[in-house]
Amino acid sequence: MKVGLDVGGTKTDAVALDAAGAIIGRVRLPTGWGPDAVTQTILDAVHAVAADAGADPGEVGSVGVGIPGQVQPGSGRVVHAVNLGVERLDLAAALTPRLGVPVRLENDVKAAALGAYALHAAEGRAPESMAYLNVGTGIAAGIVSRGMLWRGARGTAGEVGHISVDPNGPLCRCGQRGCIEAFAGGGAIAERWARRGALPVRDVFDAADAGDASALQLRAGLARGVAAAIRVLVLTADVDIVVLGGGVTALGERLMTDVAAELTASAEASPFMRSLRLGERVEFLPPGSPAAALGAALVGAGETEHDAEEALAHG
Amino acid sequence: MKVGLDVGGTKTDAVALDAAGAIIGRVRLPTGWGPDAVTQTILDAVHAVAADAGADPGEVGSVGVGIPGQVQPGSGRVVHAVNLGVERLDLAAALTPRLGVPVRLENDVKAAALGAYALHAAEGRAPESMAYLNVGTGIAAGIVSRGMLWRGARGTAGEVGHISVDPNGPLCRCGQRGCIEAFAGGGAIAERWARRGALPVRDVFDAADAGDASALQLRAGLARGVAAAIRVLVLTADVDIVVLGGGVTALGERLMTDVAAELTASAEASPFMRSLRLGERVEFLPPGSPAAALGAALVGAGETEHDAEEALAHG
């Protein structure tokens, strides 16, 4: 049995997979704050999801953890997982002795990309390549080709959030102007909206519907940033499909309508863009999708360098 | 013996490789205009480069052709090779019976990417991944990882020229505003400069040196577009190195100084961009480099992971 976990800022989603890769157990637990509590949450979630699958913890053969922050490839360490109160944590070292099985880490967005691809494959519609674009507090993507993550040379593959698409755009927290994330990241929008609320991006949409000028501008920027990220992913990596997920996509149709309008506008201006049929290549990850935890389980199962080379050789 | 050709708008560069992948012959011929003349140029070049290598045409085991325009993967056909007066040409069908060996086609920028990677590998410094950014009449890139081209799903991998980086930027021939190519493509610059000259981009640089305001603006846009393309390639595909080539790079240090200044400016504004050390990851393809013809020979030899690695190991 493989276990995969998506450790989020508020909750941890865990799935258990049988030998064929089918999900046979799933639990969600609140995530603790800080290194020790995060480690404990993961241990608790592994035991709970094994129980949910009707299995003994001893039947867990591997554990994969998707986690926000920078994961140094192959290291088992995460740094700058600020949402979790973790500056640096060697999770593999903390977990492996207590679980007695290999523990692999991956950045949560990259894990979700792998999982979104696996969900397509399970439905018999595996694309040649796919990008998963996470529209949450920040903006980042994971690129998967033939089931394998494109990890890149130095860990910046898919960091499309910090591509500037407007020299006169809003200042990004990264220091540049007009980054995709400065337009479309939930954190940047909440900061610029500056009215307190539990769901600032939803509040922006509601205020825009009511005609608020500042909200209309923020809402337009969100669609513009997401559309720009989709174009960058297709024009650089030529992925078949872009799957949108992350907290901001809870807006569902309201967001999709705006993004589709942006893509239509560039298709109307440009025969080249029209030929790409971007509107038909964008999908939403369904709410509550287990993609990130599922992808983490696949990382944990030993996604090897050799496999990656094979994927490239046939790409 | 493998033969590779780079069919350019004015000349065709051909190389012959021995079994170990070393270049043992090289010729350059003027390229004919239109489908029949292009086909004849290729036949002439194959014979001439075999002779230059001291070999008989019968010793040619495979032919790879790098050609501008859209090459449908695996088809042997090229469409929209406008620089060559070719709207559509099934080169493999035209050449294979007359050469008696397999003929493979690849887009010239993608072939150059493969060749630039092979040249690095031959010097014992093969990066994990590399992008070749062609700054010519238009702007496009090829991405290579471990010796293999990233071809993408539908033939738009590396089409970074049509990513818009400024909604108020110049109109691109593709119909969008502020595309990287509208800022940095030699064709777009020549059109906006609008003073007749054999070397319009060089004229722009000279006029900018003399203080011409319009030339200064075009020159700044060129550097800005090239720097944006470099950032897109690193932030999306996370390539180790970006190699610049193409007609506009004949400007050499004059261009590099401007591009380096652009990269420095974003690194000064942004700790994140600074951490990428982009300035250290950009190289020029040397003038007269056989990269494109060499890369075409590798495509022609039946590019597989294994073959490419062998060619590289011995090259």
Side-chain angles (χ1 to χ4, degrees), chain B residues 180-254:
Chain B
I180 287 174
E181 181 168 306
F183 281 109
I189 292 171
E191 211 168 89
R192 286 160 66 206
W193 182 234
R195 299 188 202 161
R196 296 294 162 100
L199 296 164
V201 182
R202 181 155 293 166
D203 292 348
V204 165
F205 270 63
D206 291 343
D209 282 343
D212 181 284
S214 143
L216 281 164
Q217 196 188 4
L218 288 172
R219 179 172 169 171
L222 169 55
R224 187 174 145 196
V226 171
I230 292 166
R231 289 188 206 104
V232 163
L233 288 164
V234 171
L235 289 174
T236 307
D238 191 21
V239 290
D240 264 321
I241 298 176
V242 179
V243 177
L244 303 183
V248 173
T249 62
L251 287 161
E253 275 307 307
R254 299 173 85 184

Side-chain angles (χ1 to χ4, degrees), chain A residues 135 139 169-171 179-196 199-209 211-227 248 251 254-255 258-259 262:
Chain A
V135 188
I139 303 269
L171 192 63
C179 288
I180 286 173
E181 181 168 306
F183 280 109
I189 292 171
E191 210 169 272
R192 286 159 66 207
W193 181 235
R195 298 187 203 162
R196 295 291 162 102
L199 295 164
V201 182
R202 180 155 296 166
D203 291 348
V204 166
F205 271 62
D206 291 343
D209 282 342
D212 181 283
S214 143
L216 281 163
Q217 195 188 6
L218 289 172
R219 180 172 168 172
L222 170 54
R224 186 173 146 197
V226 172
V248 173
L251 287 161
R254 299 173 86 185
L255 174 61
D258 288 7
V259 171
E262 274 288 325

Side-chain angles (χ1 to χ4, degrees), chain A residues 45-104:
Chain A
V46 171
H47 292 139
V49 80
D52 190 63
D56 191 85
E59 293 174 57
V60 174
S62 67
V63 173
V65 179
I67 194 161
Q70 288 174 27
V71 175
Q72 294 160 345
S75 73
R77 277 193 303 278
V78 61
V79 296
H80 304 314
V82 287
N83 290 352
L84 308 177
V86 170
E87 179 47 39
R88 170 178 294 270
L89 177 57
D90 191 338
L91 262 176
L95 292 168
T96 304
R98 296 167 76 176
L99 289 169
V101 294
V103 175
R104 299 224 186 174

Side-chain angles (χ1 to χ4, degrees), chain A:
Chain A
M1 190 174 63
K2 299 166 188 169
V3 167
L5 298 95
D6 176 36
V7 181
T10 54
K11 64 179 197 318
T12 290
D13 187 13
V15 297
L17 307 186
D18 66 14
I23 295 176
I24 52 170
R26 187 174 184 193
V27 297
R28 270 169 268 198
L29 301 180
T31 304
W33 176 258
D36 293 344
V38 165
T39 305
Q40 190 60 49
T41 299
I42 293 171
L43 289 167
D44 292 346
V46 171
H47 292 139
V49 80
D52 190 63
D56 191 85
E59 293 174 57
V60 174
S62 67
V63 173
V65 179
I67 194 161
Q70 288 174 27
V71 175
Q72 294 160 345
S75 73
R77 277 193 303 278
V78 61
V79 296
H80 304 314
V82 287
N83 290 352
L84 308 177
V86 170
E87 179 47 39
R88 170 178 294 270
L89 177 57
D90 191 338
L91 262 176
L95 292 168
T96 304
R98 296 167 76 176
L99 289 169
V101 294
V103 175
R104 299 224 186 174
L105 254 62
E106 188 52 85
N107 168 271
D108 58 348
V109 172
K110 292 188 170 54
L114 207 50
Y117 189 97
L119 289 171
H120 268 74
E123 291 172 13
R125 51 186 194 110
E128 168 121 356
S129 56
M130 171 194 276
Y132 168 74
L133 178 64
N134 195 73
V135 188
T137 306
I139 303 269
I143 299 168
V144 177
S145 177
R146 295 177 178 254
M148 300 301 302
L149 269 176
W150 177 275
R151 286 198 174 76
R154 312 193 188 191
T156 62
E159 285 286 357
V160 297
H162 297 293
I163 292 172
S164 169
V165 292
D166 187 348
N168 302 309
L171 192 63
C172 183
R173 66 180 172 88
C174 87
Q176 300 184 99
R177 268 204 182 274
C179 288
I180 286 173
E181 181 168 306
F183 280 109
I189 292 171
E191 210 169 272
R192 286 159 66 207
W193 181 235
R195 298 187 203 162
R196 295 291 162 102
L199 295 164
V201 182
R202 180 155 296 166
D203 291 348
V204 166
F205 271 62
D206 291 343
D209 282 342
D212 181 283
S214 143
L216 281 163
Q217 195 188 6
L218 289 172
R219 180 172 168 172
L222 170 54
R224 186 173 146 197
V226 172
I230 293 166
R231 288 189 206 103
V232 163
L233 288 164
V234 171
L235 290 173
T236 307
D238 191 21
V239 290
D240 263 320
I241 298 176
V242 179
V243 177
L244 303 182
V248 173
T249 62
L251 287 161
E253 275 308 307
R254 299 173 86 185
L255 174 61
M256 196 60 214
T257 304
D258 288 7
V259 171
E262 274 288 325
L263 296 175
T264 301
S266 58
E268 280 172 357
S270 166
F272 172 67
M273 293 309 292
R274 188 153 64 245
S275 75
L276 302 180
R277 299 176 173 277
L278 292 180
E280 299 166 19
R281 295 162 74 175
V282 177
E283 296 178 5
F284 270 111
L285 202 61
S289 167
L294 171 62
L298 299 177
V299 172
E303 189 205 10
T304 66
E305 200 59 36
H306 179 70
D307 292 343
E309 281 184 3
E310 291 239 313
L312 288 170
H314 297 102

